[in-house]
Amino acid sequence: MKMTDQNKPESPEASMEDVRSLIKKKDDIEEQIQAYYDVLEDQGVGLEASLVDTEGYPRSDVNLYQITTARHTISCLQNDHKAIMVEIEEALHKLHAREKAKRHRDETEAREEAMELQVTLPPAFACVNSVIQGSPASEAGLKNGDEVIEFGSVNPGNFQSVYNIASVVQHSEGKPLRVTVIRGGQKAHISLTPQRWSGRGLLGCNINPIPR
């Protein structure tokens, strides 16, 4: 009775450990073949040399049993070698196919995540161009390149210019502000407290608007 695709046993996945095991078996077979070739060389014959003399009698100058055993074993081992090479090729094919499928899945998931972020993340209205070491902005964790989507009460809906941010900063000295930025394609929430420090201003960073 013909088996349907649903009833067919699935081909087991190959792992790198499986490939290493098969290669080890191949190497062992090759060592055995070479050992039996050495036997034939010691006897002064190869795979094809005649084992009878000119009169048709078995040669007395060689070990006939040792030679025939070596020849037969070499033939069997060569068949085993061909079979193991086929197994290695199939295992490598499965391994490469699995790695290719994994890369495809990872790339698809990355694209889907990027598309989802583009849909869910609000547009940034300003970008941090520089952060001075030791400043309140630096201590809070603000980084150069952060794209601002929320700065206290300022958001994409009410932002008009950097003066909006400057106004919030001036009225929030000593008070923590919630700042949300896009960093590496993901949201990062920062608690930033404008305050006096050794440098100029209350933040120690430069924020420029992003043209719309």
Side-chain angles (χ1 to χ4, degrees), residues 9 24 34 37 48 51 54 95 130 134 139 150 153 160 179:
K24 176 65 169 57
Q34 185 57 52
Y37 268 117
E48 305 296 335
L51 298 182
T54 55
L95 190 62
S130 64
E139 295 299 322
E150 179 187 15
S153 60
Q160 294 179 336
V179 179

Side-chain angles (χ1 to χ4, degrees), residues 11-203:
S11 179
E13 291 187 355
S15 66
M16 183 54 69
E17 188 60 35
D18 294 330
V19 174
R20 292 195 187 99
S21 177
L22 289 171
I23 291 176
K24 176 65 169 57
K25 290 180 181 179
K26 174 190 75 71
D27 293 341
D28 291 343
I29 291 173
E30 290 174 350
E31 288 182 7
Q32 293 179 60
I33 291 175
Q34 185 57 52
Y36 282 106
Y37 268 117
D38 291 343
V39 170
L40 296 180
E41 184 176 351
D42 290 342
Q43 292 292 325
V45 298
L47 289 175
E48 305 296 335
S50 176
L51 298 182
V52 296
D53 57 22
T54 55
E55 297 180 358
Y57 292 103
R59 290 174 55 177
S60 58
D61 60 327
V62 294
N63 189 323
L64 297 179
Y65 175 78
Q66 200 173 46
I67 293 172
T68 54
T69 299
R71 286 179 174 180
H72 174 73
T73 306
I74 288 174
S75 177
C76 293
L77 288 172
Q78 285 175 335
N79 290 333
D80 293 342
H81 188 268
K82 290 178 182 178
I84 201 75
M85 290 301 293
V86 171
E87 287 189 57
I88 292 173
E89 184 177 356
E90 290 178 350
L92 287 173
H93 177 75
K94 290 177 183 178
L95 190 62
H96 292 161
R98 189 180 67 183
E99 291 298 322
K100 183 177 179 180
K102 182 179 182 300
R103 285 197 301 270
H104 179 71
R105 282 197 308 272
D106 292 344
E107 291 171 358
T108 300
E109 289 176 0
R111 284 195 299 268
E112 289 175 351
E113 289 177 2
M115 291 176 64
E116 184 178 349
L117 286 173
Q118 290 175 359
V119 172
T120 58
L121 289 178
F125 56 82
C127 181
V128 179
N129 286 358
S130 64
V131 179
I132 301 175
Q133 187 70 25
S135 67
S138 174
E139 295 299 322
L142 207 61
K143 297 183 180 297
N144 186 30
D146 284 346
E147 297 181 346
V148 182
I149 58 177
E150 179 187 15
F151 197 102
S153 60
V154 183
N155 57 56
N158 59 25
F159 175 79
Q160 294 179 336
S161 70
V162 289
Y163 293 109
N164 298 129
I165 296 176
S167 177
V168 170
V169 170
Q170 290 173 3
H171 289 86
S172 303
E173 184 176 351
K175 301 175 183 177
L177 287 172
R178 175 185 171 89
V179 179
T180 305
V181 300
I182 298 175
R183 180 186 299 164
Q186 295 183 340
K187 278 185 180 181
H189 299 291
I190 296 168
S191 179
L192 173 58
T193 302
Q195 57 189 331
R196 301 291 174 179
W197 62 295
S198 60
R200 294 177 56 187
L202 299 175
L203 296 182

